[in-house]
Amino acid sequence: MTSHQTTQTMKPATAAKKLGVYLQATPAEFQEGVISRNELNALQTDPPEWLVELRRNGPHPRPVVAAKLGISIAGLARGGVTEALTTEQIDALKKDSPEWLQRERATQAEVRKEAARIKEKNAAEADQPGRPRS
């Protein structure tokens, strides 16, 4: 009995998400087709010029915009940013540093600090033998 392995494929939206690019900014042939796992791997290891350019200058999807600004996706929405932004627009926001961005960065810093505190607490509890785990 021979095993027949089918090629894994994904929708363009999924591939764009994995590549960290804004789907609407990709070439039409990318948006209209299906992408195999092998094609995705090839795009990641040897990106074509359009992908390099998109990653460098955007427009970037919201998760990338949020990461570049150092805030959460929800923080973007609270700040009124609902569209994809270019690198130039992101840099301008960083330079202007509006009040909402400062507030969201402070919130994100607190979230990270709390996550680190909980991680340390859990690690310390795990190191104590005989303590019941919750």
Side-chain angles (χ1 to χ4, degrees), residues 22-77:
Y22 186 57
L23 177 63
Q24 286 76 3
T26 61
E29 60 269 12
F30 182 88
Q31 293 180 40
E32 294 164 1
V34 291
I35 293 87
S36 72
R37 174 69 61 190
N38 291 339
E39 290 170 327
L40 179 69
N41 290 340
L43 287 169
Q44 289 173 324
T45 55
D46 187 23
E49 186 57 35
W50 65 263
L51 182 54
V52 172
E53 188 64 24
L54 263 182
R55 286 178 169 165
R56 183 181 310 123
N57 297 317
H60 303 286
R62 287 180 306 148
V64 174
V65 173
K68 285 179 179 275
L69 291 173
I71 63 176
S72 67
I73 295 172
L76 275 180

Side-chain angles (χ1 to χ4, degrees), residues 111-123:
V111 167
R112 283 201 239 10
K113 197 163 107 180
E114 180 65 7
R117 184 192 69 77
I118 290 170
K119 185 177 179 180
E120 285 177 21
K121 178 182 171 229
N122 290 343

Side-chain angles (χ1 to χ4, degrees), residues 70-72 74-76 78 99-115:
I71 63 176
S72 67
L76 275 180
R78 285 189 294 270
E99 185 181 320
W100 70 265
L101 181 56
Q102 293 174 33
R103 188 173 53 248
E104 291 301 332
R105 282 183 163 169
T107 299
Q108 193 66 20
E110 286 299 315
V111 167
R112 283 201 239 10
K113 197 163 107 180
E114 180 65 7

